[in-house]
Amino acid sequence: MGATIVCPHGGLATVQAAQTRVTVSGSAVARAADTYPVTGCPLNINGKPQPCVTIQWPGPATRVTVNGNPVVLATSTGLCRSAEQAPQGPPTVPAVQPRVVAQ
């Protein structure tokens, strides 16, 4: 959850984690099943506003899960979607939680 996520048009996404038991550096671990609302996307197609409103993660981690749900990594593949569920392009993750090694 300490990551910065941006839609392809500059809107910012936040993670609304459904679980809070598993944390890294005090923040809940983001999972593919969590909600990722996007705000501030300015996309407009032919005069009709079509902002990104959510992100789905069809390519989450394959070997790391929390409560049975795959986690979202910096290398995970995401897809921003409009309110009509039209695909809007991949999000970028310019800042992430540094790698954590269990001791």
Side-chain angles (χ1 to χ4, degrees):
M1 283 188 52
T4 300
I5 306 170
V6 182
C7 83
H9 318 102
L12 294 176
T14 56
V15 182
Q16 293 179 344
Q19 70 81 34
T20 56
R21 287 187 72 188
V22 180
T23 62
V24 174
S25 297
S27 295
V29 173
R31 304 172 308 152
D34 293 333
T35 304
Y36 297 81
V38 179
T39 57
C41 176
L43 184 61
N44 190 311
I45 299 174
N46 297 326
K48 180 182 179 189
Q50 286 290 310
C52 298
V53 295
T54 191
I55 300 174
Q56 293 177 330
W57 296 94
T62 56
R63 297 186 300 171
V64 182
T65 62
V66 171
N67 296 338
N69 291 298
V71 300
V72 174
L73 304 172
T75 56
S76 295
T77 305
L79 182 62
C80 296
R81 293 194 175 269
S82 71
E84 298 170 347
Q85 295 303 303
Q88 308 287 56
T92 57
V93 186
V96 296
Q97 163 69 36
R99 183 176 179 176
V100 176
V101 179
Q103 298 280 332

